[in-house]
Amino acid sequence: MAETGNGKKEDADYKRLQSFPLIRHTDMPEEMRVETMELCVTACEKFASNNESAAKMIKESMDKKFGSSWHVVIGEGFGFEVSHEVKNLLYMFFGGSLAVCVWKCS
Amino acid sequence: MSVPHKVGSVKSKQVSSFVMQDEEEGLDTAEGEEWMQGKTLVKPPDQLDLTEAELNEEITRVLKASNPNAPQNVVRYSFKEGCYKPIVFVDQMAIHFELEGNLVHKDSDEGRRLMAKQAEVDDGGGDERPDNVSIKAGKREQKLTNQFNFNERASQTLNNAPRDISCQTEPPPRANFSATANQWEIYDFYVEELQRRVKSKEKHEGQFLNKEEDKSKKKMIQAETQNDDIYQLAKVVKIIERMVNQNIFDDVAQDFMYFEDASDEFRGEKGTLLPLWTFQYDKAKSLSVTALCWNHKYNDLFAVGLGSHEFTQQGGGMLLFYTLKNPSYPEFIFNTASGVMCLDIHEHLSYLVAVGLYDGCVAVYNLKKKTDQPIYNSRASSGKHTSAVMQVKWQKDDLDSNHNFISVSADGRVVSWTLVKHELVFTDIIKLPVIDTIPDDLKDVIPTVGTSLDFHKQKDYSFLVGTEHGKIHKGSKYYSSKFLEKYDAHFMNVTRVRWNPFHPDVFISCGWDWMVKIWDQTMKSPVFTFELKTSVTDVAWAPYSSTVFAAVTTDGKVHVFDLNINKYEALCQQKVVSKKTKLFNIEFNPVHPIIIVGDDRGHVTSLKLSPNLRKKPKEKKGQDLPKGPEVEIAKMEQLLSSLR
């Protein structure tokens, strides 16, 4: 886990080591947060090549579970500014390069 | 085409001419009869010319029941066989006249209906018959009412005008959030996270030896970093608080552990008390310390009961727990409805604390529980004391393994309380005898105030009770009717009576009459008597020696005695608190050489005993230093025998 090392090997290494899901910012309550995070991980793993389907799956599940209406963005490079209902935002990283932002705003 | 014919059927054309002829002949004859003369036959122009012979020929006519207009042979197409088939039987009926009648059979449906209608009309409103009839007629029958006897009336109430009301709830609160998701941001964040984890791993590796524990702790940490941080902080904050306190009171802590007053060697027998920490709590400023007790399991934890000794100044009370590790703030705080007068911590279960209050209640607190309330309270139970509870002491668990404790109170009763499930069950042990000066009829009303209670260390059925009148009674749990012995100890209130921790026969008592007296339970008069210049409020034996004890007085002084060294004088008489502060309680720590004293300002001061006060008997050359309780007993015995 030392940061200094061979370049390419290190890259590959870190991708493998850092592929755990990591929450960057959230204001969700505990239970909701855990459930949402797991859902995101499942979706991203299932649709590893297709962000749109993954986002669709997440959004539909969230709508069913927690009410409408949810918005999901998955990608590797984007900036955003959103208005969200308080206690309904999750912004997390996954797989070393993927960022997922889930928020609710009707 | 049925032509109404008269009876008789006419058949052939042949006959028709004859009919005509006949008619003619008839006519003729009729006319002929009248007109006898003219026998001229008028022949119609188209009449058949027949010969006479033919005219006389007899033609028979037959009357048949067959319809001449009906066809003789009828052929029908049969779809089944696909060809025309003749029908043999041809209908021969000819209807000449038809009339439809209006007669109905009385048993048929229509007949019954008609009869019902008629019956109704006949009666005109009788209840029974129409019902019967209607039952007969069937359920679908509606009750027909005539317009003369029955009248329909309808009206409409006022309908309130409809109103439209609409309301909009406030939408759930919203917030804005913005961020950027770049590869480098993600990378940076992951790197940070890993660093954090490495650090916490190192921290825990340092603390735990077991590797397996390590792994489970790592998992815990991973999970906990996502939890609420506040509860995580509580433990950490506590440790930091203690560390800060230790830093602040560093010199005190060093003294506590290591300082031994070197000047003691030069002082001969005398010793000193070194003040260590002072424990005080803001909210307890108006209260005075009424009880102190060390915890047996955790030697740095002690309990302080706060209340008021004055009858006139009664307010709330508090129960505080301090630890030597944190002198600035109590570990546990409990507020009580009335002043605490006494407390005792269970010997084995150090989380159970029994408290006696000024209003006569006893309560049991469980330190393990997070609540502020006692787990048992005698407030509601019968048998509770009617006056202040002066002393409580835990006993060994009874036969049912229930915890129990004994209390003595100002109403003169010694009561045993058992913790059964959710309540306190009381049992009267004994009632303090009323003194002789009180007249008989008032004996029940004016109780003897019991002020102190102590149980023998070895024979725990034997106990001593001190009273307000200066008497000490020795009793036993097995005799509930009277006491075994009575000692005339003091002239005034006995504030404390205690058995010697080592010697089975010796106990000490102190009172407001300025005296401290040491007794042998077999003798009626005290073995030693000491006069201190003011009221003595508390006295305690040292746990490490059978001949050392300390007393506190209302002038703020602590007196320490060692009978082995000096039988007449105190080894140390030191004022430990500021002017006009009275000391009320003193307790020796079971392990460390310190004492705590409580005063009437609500402060508890801890003092360290200098070496002179803790002396063990001098070792003789070549001999091992004897230790243990036998030695102590022997010491005491020696002393006593010298006096007898």
Side-chain angles (χ1 to χ4, degrees), chain A residues 14 18 20 22 25 30 33 76-86 89 91 93-94 96-97 99 106, chain B residues 172-183 185-187 189-191 193-195 197-198 201 226-227:
Chain A
Y14 99 72
Q18 294 180 351
F20 54 87
L22 184 60
H25 178 267
E30 170 71 32
R33 183 193 326 150
E76 292 178 12
F78 58 92
F80 60 92
E81 158 115 29
V82 299
S83 302
H84 66 95
E85 273 181 34
V86 172
L89 171 82
Y91 177 39
F93 299 143
F94 173 72
S97 65
S106 55
Chain B
R174 294 192 185 174
N176 286 353
F177 176 69
S178 60
T180 318
N182 289 327
Q183 287 304 296
E185 260 222 22
I186 298 176
Y187 177 72
F189 196 63
Y190 269 108
V191 162
E193 175 69 23
L194 284 167
Q195 278 176 354
R197 290 191 185 177
V198 167
K201 254 187 247 171
Q226 293 163 1
N227 284 358

Side-chain angles (χ1 to χ4, degrees), chain B residues 419-432:
Chain B
L419 275 60
V420 176
K421 282 190 192 173
H422 298 291
E423 53 175 24
L424 286 171
V425 178
F426 84 99
T427 329
D428 255 347
I429 302 272
I430 195 165
K431 199 164 155 53
L432 285 169

Side-chain angles (χ1 to χ4, degrees), chain B residues 339-353:
Chain B
V340 174
M341 291 303 290
C342 57
L343 64 95
D344 193 29
I345 300 181
H346 199 280
E347 211 177 338
H348 304 293
L349 306 167
S350 55
Y351 54 86
L352 281 181
V353 181

Side-chain angles (χ1 to χ4, degrees), chain B residues 256-524:
Chain B
F256 160 70
M257 272 315 286
Y258 304 116
F259 181 73
E260 301 295 346
D261 200 347
S263 62
D264 261 10
E265 286 173 41
F266 308 109
R267 239 177 264 149
E269 292 170 342
K270 307 273 179 189
T272 50
L273 293 166
L274 178 70
L276 297 172
W277 301 282
T278 314
F279 301 89
Q280 57 204 28
Y281 183 46
D282 297 344
K283 299 200 181 134
K285 264 192 186 147
S286 55
L287 302 166
S288 82
V289 174
T290 50
L292 290 172
C293 187
W294 284 100
N295 189 314
H296 298 279
K297 191 165 174 206
Y298 298 101
N299 293 317
D300 58 294
L301 188 67
F302 63 91
V304 180
L306 292 149
S308 171
H309 288 287
E310 301 296 322
F311 177 70
T312 46
Q313 289 169 6
Q314 285 304 318
M318 279 181 140
L319 176 63
L320 303 174
F321 284 80
Y322 283 98
T323 169
L324 299 179
K325 295 177 190 165
N326 184 349
S328 32
Y329 200 77
E331 292 292 305
F332 299 98
I333 303 170
F334 297 97
N335 281 303
T336 59
S338 83
V340 174
M341 291 303 290
C342 57
L343 64 95
D344 193 29
I345 300 181
H346 199 280
E347 211 177 338
H348 304 293
L349 306 167
S350 55
Y351 54 86
L352 281 181
V353 181
V355 168
L357 303 175
Y358 193 86
D359 60 3
C361 284
V362 291
V364 178
Y365 285 87
N366 184 337
L367 293 180
K368 277 191 186 171
K369 302 242 160 94
K370 309 276 181 189
T371 65
D372 206 29
Q373 295 301 313
I375 49 170
Y376 295 94
N377 200 328
S378 74
R379 197 170 288 280
S381 62
S382 57
K384 76 170 200 154
H385 290 290
T386 50
S387 247
V389 179
M390 304 301 281
Q391 192 83 44
V392 284
K393 285 265 182 246
W394 282 104
Q395 300 295 300
K396 287 208 185 90
D397 288 355
D398 65 8
L399 296 166
D400 297 324
S401 313
N402 289 325
H403 307 304
N404 60 344
F405 61 92
I406 292 191
S407 66
V408 70
S409 101
D411 64 1
R413 286 163 53 220
V414 178
V415 176
S416 156
W417 301 88
T418 314
L419 275 60
V420 176
K421 282 190 192 173
H422 298 291
E423 53 175 24
L424 286 171
V425 178
F426 84 99
T427 329
D428 255 347
I429 302 272
I430 195 165
K431 199 164 155 53
L432 285 169
V434 183
I435 60 173
D436 306 318
T437 52
I438 295 180
D440 281 341
D441 47 352
L442 287 175
K443 272 201 172 139
D444 289 328
V445 178
I446 300 178
T448 312
V449 173
T451 52
S452 181
L453 174 72
D454 193 28
F455 281 83
H456 198 278
K457 297 287 178 294
Q458 285 87 33
K459 305 176 222 160
D460 64 327
Y461 51 82
S462 169
F463 63 88
L464 293 168
V465 182
T467 66
E468 203 184 31
H469 305 290
K471 311 267 183 294
I472 297 177
H473 301 269
K474 183 175 79 171
S476 167
K477 279 206 271 191
Y478 300 132
Y479 294 104
S480 60
S481 52
K482 67 175 205 156
F483 285 94
L484 300 174
E485 278 281 3
K486 187 177 83 159
Y487 306 91
D488 290 321
H490 296 269
F491 305 112
M492 290 177 74
N493 201 341
V494 176
T495 48
R496 179 66 86 170
V497 63
R498 278 204 221 224
W499 287 102
N500 187 301
F502 297 102
H503 201 285
D505 290 334
V506 174
F507 63 89
I508 193 172
S509 72
C510 67
W512 282 356
D513 62 349
W514 303 0
M515 304 283 201
V516 174
K517 298 190 181 180
I518 298 180
W519 305 76
D520 182 331
Q521 66 167 336
T522 52
M523 291 165 45
K524 276 282 186 177

Side-chain angles (χ1 to χ4, degrees), chain A residues 1-97:
Chain A
M1 284 196 290
E3 261 55 71
T4 54
N6 308 326
K8 286 184 188 169
K9 253 194 181 176
E10 188 211 70
D11 276 348
D13 267 346
Y14 99 72
K15 272 203 175 138
R16 244 178 282 132
L17 291 164
Q18 294 180 351
S19 45
F20 54 87
L22 184 60
I23 292 184
R24 171 77 169 79
H25 178 267
T26 179
D27 59 356
M28 281 183 175
E30 170 71 32
E31 264 183 51
M32 195 191 216
R33 183 193 326 150
V34 166
E35 220 182 316
T36 312
M37 193 177 84
E38 291 195 5
L39 171 67
C40 291
V41 168
T42 316
C44 290
E45 281 174 350
K46 187 170 177 192
F47 297 106
S49 54
N50 188 349
N51 286 344
E52 189 187 329
S53 321
K56 181 172 183 162
M57 175 179 163
I58 297 172
K59 181 249 181 343
E60 282 171 355
S61 312
M62 294 298 280
D63 276 350
K64 243 189 292 172
K65 265 186 247 176
F66 302 110
S68 61
S69 68
W70 286 84
H71 312 271
V72 180
V73 178
I74 303 183
E76 292 178 12
F78 58 92
F80 60 92
E81 158 115 29
V82 299
S83 302
H84 66 95
E85 273 181 34
V86 172
K87 296 225 166 136
N88 286 287
L89 171 82
L90 177 76
Y91 177 39
M92 61 179 276
F93 299 143
F94 173 72
S97 65

